Each structure stands twice: as C-alpha cells, then as structure tokens.
Amino acid sequence: MCLAVPGKIISIDCGMEELMRFGKVNFGGIVKDVNLAYVPEAKIGDYVIVHVGFALNTVDEAEAQKVFEYLREMDSLDELKE
Amino acid sequence: MKFIDEYRDRGAAEKYSHMIHEITTRKWNIMEVCGGQTHAIVKFGIDELLPEGINLIHGPGCPVCVTSLELIDKSIEIASRKDVIFCSFGDMLRVPGSKKDLLQVKAEGGDVRMLYSPIDSLKIAKDNPDKEIVFFAVGFETTAPANAMAVYQAKVQGLKNFSILVSHVLVPPAMEAILSSKNNLVKGFLAAGHVCTVMGYNEYYPLAEKYRVPIVVTGFEPLDILQGIYMCVKQLEEGRYEVENQYSRAVSREGNRGAQEIISKVFKIGSRKWRGIGEIPDSGLVLQDEYIEFDASLKFGLAEMTVEEPKECISGLILQGLKKPFECGAFGTKCTPERPLGATMVSSEGACAAYYRYRKK
Ligand code: SF4
C-alpha cells in the first residue's frame, strides 16, 4: 500500500485555494486526478512521485541519470585497469 | 514507462550484481526496511543475483502488516455500526481481525468502501450528512501527508461527520528498536525511499553514528535496489557507517517541507503498538489536541482492548528478520493470501505474501 509511482503532469487546475491545487497525471496511459498541493513548483510536463492521490515530489531529471552514470564510470575504470 | 523501464534493464542489473560480487569478502546481513522493496526483491529475484554472503532481511515496513490486531478489531466494530460509512485503502479490507475482517462486515451489510485517496472521503461526508464517515488512516510517513491533508481540509470545511481511525507508524523508531534489540542481526540498512521523499534523511545521521551502521536511502526499481546494496556493502567492507542517498531523483536531505508542515499541524508523535513486534515508544502519529474532534476512537467511545495473536503465526519474528516465511509451519498450507492467518500474508508488500506469490516451490 506504500506504493508510490512516477507519472507525468498533463494539466493543472489551480482552483480557489492553494492547498487544493489539482492536476491530471498520466501513468503510462492511465490518467488520474492528483492533488499537487505539496509540489507548488511542479509544472505541466514534470514527472511527480504520486502516492494515494498526492504528489510527494518532482522527479529530478539530472539526478535520475546517476544510476547509469555510476555504471559508466565503473566501466571506464575497468578499461583503465586493463 | 519513463522512470520505470530503464531501471529494469537486465544488462545494467547484471553489471551491478557483478560489482557487488567483486567487493564482497564476508557475510553481511542487510535489511530493506520497506515492504515495497521486499516485494520488488522477491519479484525480480534480486536476492538471487547476490553473492552467497549477502543476506537480505525483510523489515517491518508494511503498514498493513504492522497495524495492531486491536486496531483492526476497532475498525470492525466501527464499520459494523448502522450509522457509519467506513472508508479504507483496499489492502486493509482482508486483514484478519481476531474474529473477522472488514470484507466480512461488508458482506453482512456494513457500508465499507475502498478508496484510492483519503481526500475522497471528504466528498462522501458532504454527500451523506446523516451518516458518520470514518477513514482508516494507516500508513508510514509516505501516507501521512495525504491523511493529514484530509483532516486539515475537514476542519477548514467545518465537517462534523468525519473522523479518522489513526494507525500511523514511523520508520526511524522501528529501525532503532531493531538495532537496539539483543537479537539484532542487521549490519546495514536500505532506508525506505518514499518515506524519505517526505521526511528527508536528517533523522538517520544519529542512528548511523550511534549504532555504526551504514544507511542508504534507496528507491524501488531493481537497479535502485542493486545500487543501494552495492553502496551499503561497499561501506561495510570499508568499515564506514554513513548515510548515503541512492534515490536522489526523488529524495532531498530536507524532504518535502510543505508536507512536513501540514503533518505536524495535524499530528504529533505518540506511542504505537506494532503487530507482531509490540509497543515501540514514540513510533507513531496521533492527532494534535486541536484536531482531536476527528479522532474516531474517541468519537465512538471505544474501550482499549488487548487481543491474542493466532499462535502459529510467526510474523513478528519475520518482521524482525529473525525468520523467513518458509520457516512458518502454516505457510502455504493453513495460511495463504486467500485465507491469511497473519497480516504479512495479506498485503502484497508483506514478506509471506511475496514469497507465496513468487517463490512457492
Ligand atoms: S505464513 Fe501466515 S501464519 Fe505464517 S508467519 Fe506468515 S502470515 Fe503468519
């Protein structure tokens, strides 16, 4: 039940009140209404981590590459050794 | 899907597995705290990619599994009332109480509804002014922002027929309870990424220091988990015990300040009983005095009770990493996901259910 998944914001409905900022988020084809109150900086096109109808954070695109950069660095270290 | 598929790349996973093999010289017990990670580990067979010496211990990080039997019985008592619409996340409906589960209450005519988000219960409250709406607020820090917002909005909107049955648990006190136990086997932690999305990871520095354990904040996809294990083993092999963040695409050191603010407006820290483990001081959230009118336990005047767990269920030992599901006599025979004896067989994030689903040999 703690599952949280990344999805892309496709529209934002600012509403009357900041804490009820809602948006539509696309999870690989399934679109859901998501409360965006906790990610005031998030824009259309951003990816957010969503849990029980609330976006908890925006996914950082640059940081997202680190898992792979790490592997590449290890590869080039290996080559140096050879 | 972006941010999912690329982290399931077989070749990259094998590389990480190879790197872990290269640096491992001894036996290490590492606990993944979160049930979501347990599920991924068993589903993708990540434990099978590791050197023999690396033993993954499945931690207590499944809120469905650790909600106390007493609270489940309370939820059943409230849900059985004629004047109540009882709302809950789907996973809670099949958790066995001491006599029945919420699904049975529903079958017997109770109005029990499964919701995707706690915020949906506010609309139900507005649409049904002659009923009491109760939401079963279970969860770790990940779910707290949503449950806190529901209560906060209920107060703003002046809703009088809404309340929550709070069963919130906190991760760092549970980690400390494990580390300070004399049976402790855990030498390093993969901390739960989504808990840290909300709370950040400042809280882990004193733990790492005091117990000399590496703590690596880790995500949920196979590559995240493998990289988290690699970082943890590397620290163990080098004799370091630091806090590191593998899941930086979603987690910052401070966490989500806005969410923390609403949580601390609505909730304060209190003691909590964990199913299978027992009472852990300061390990849960309870409503602040200002929001006490939304406390379902008080509203319905439920007495405190203590109930016995079924004797054969060893889920308490499993949640502390002292036993694996296979070692339970009831596993797969008397206890299955269709007819669970214990909570770790109910939720897909429970260790017993994950082993049953992916490892039933
Ligand atoms: S298999 Fe069932 S009875 Fe055994 S520990 Fe797991 S939940 Fe409890």
Side-chain angles (χ1 to χ4, degrees), chain B residues 71 74-75 78 86 134-138 163-167 296-297:
Chain B
L71 269 167
K74 275 190 182 178
S75 76
I78 297 175
F86 194 85
V134 182
F135 185 77
F136 200 176
V138 296
S163 59
I164 63 172
L165 183 61
V166 195
S167 173
S297 261

Side-chain angles (χ1 to χ4, degrees), chain B residues 10-158:
Chain B
R10 185 88 218 171
E14 275 162 8
K15 263 192 214 167
Y16 268 117
S17 155
H18 177 73
M19 280 156 54
I20 297 169
H21 275 90
E22 279 204 327
I23 58 168
T24 308
T25 64
R26 310 172 36 185
K27 278 192 188 320
W28 299 111
N29 289 321
I30 297 174
M31 174 177 275
E32 87 278 1
V33 176
C34 171
Q37 290 165 338
T38 304
H39 184 95
I41 287 166
V42 182
K43 176 175 176 186
F44 294 106
I46 291 170
D47 46 346
E48 289 161 349
L49 292 175
L50 300 176
E52 232 170 80
I54 306 293
N55 177 32
L56 293 180
I57 297 183
H58 313 309
C62 160
V64 178
C65 306
V66 300
T67 293
S68 72
L69 197 48
E70 284 84 356
L71 269 167
I72 307 282
D73 279 359
K74 275 190 182 178
S75 76
I76 288 164
E77 204 176 317
I78 297 175
S80 306
R81 292 173 59 121
K82 292 261 163 318
D83 56 337
V84 164
I85 301 179
F86 194 85
C87 305
S88 166
F89 296 124
D91 325 36
M92 292 309 292
L93 301 190
R94 287 178 44 253
V95 181
S98 58
K99 294 193 190 66
K100 50 179 150 180
D101 58 29
L102 283 164
L103 264 191
Q104 232 168 310
V105 175
K106 191 174 161 77
E108 292 162 9
D111 195 342
V112 178
R113 302 188 190 179
M114 202 173 104
L115 299 189
Y116 163 63
S117 174
I119 211 85
D120 300 338
S121 53
L122 300 187
K123 183 163 185 310
I124 300 177
K126 263 181 260 164
D127 293 347
N128 296 276
D130 52 334
K131 293 269 184 169
E132 280 294 332
I133 315 308
V134 182
F135 185 77
F136 200 176
V138 296
F140 280 100
E141 290 91 331
T142 323
T143 317
N147 287 337
M149 184 66 90
V151 175
Y152 181 83
Q153 290 292 340
K155 189 160 178 111
V156 171
Q157 296 171 18

Side-chain angles (χ1 to χ4, degrees), chain A residues 1-7 17 19-20 22 26-28 32-35 37-39 47 49-61 63-68 70-71 74-75 78 81, chain B residues 1-4 6-7 12 15-16 19 63-64 89 91 116-119 138-140 142-143 145-146 149 152-153 157 194 197-198 223-224 227 230 246-250 256 258-259 262 347 349:
Chain A
M1 84 141 264
C2 254
L3 193 68
V5 280
E17 215 201 317
L19 287 179
M20 286 306 257
F22 265 85
N26 186 343
F27 303 93
K32 283 196 160 155
D33 286 324
V34 170
N35 184 305
Y38 295 129
V39 288
Y47 278 78
I49 302 272
V50 177
H51 174 64
V52 298
F54 284 76
L56 298 180
N57 229 340
T58 319
V59 183
D60 187 314
E61 298 259 356
E63 293 289 332
Q65 286 309 313
K66 286 212 171 147
V67 179
F68 307 101
Y70 202 80
L71 280 179
M74 293 315 255
D75 274 352
D78 278 349
K81 274 190 231 154
Chain B
M1 239 175 92
K2 191 168 172 188
F3 294 128
I4 292 188
E6 66 254 49
Y7 296 101
K15 263 192 214 167
Y16 268 117
M19 280 156 54
V64 178
F89 296 124
D91 325 36
Y116 163 63
S117 174
I119 211 85
V138 296
F140 280 100
T142 323
T143 317
M149 184 66 90
Y152 181 83
Q153 290 292 340
Q157 296 171 18
H194 289 142
T197 301
V198 176
L223 282 192
D224 291 323
Q227 190 186 18
Y230 176 80
Q246 181 279 328
Y247 199 36
S248 57
R249 67 181 182 279
N256 187 323
I262 300 274
S347 162
E349 288 152 34

Side-chain angles (χ1 to χ4, degrees), chain B residues 312-315 318 325 328-332 335-336 340-345 352:
Chain B
E312 6 181 26
C313 178
I314 56 162
S315 63
I318 293 175
C328 171
F331 177 81
C335 180
T336 61
L341 276 183
T344 40
M345 188 56 103
C352 295

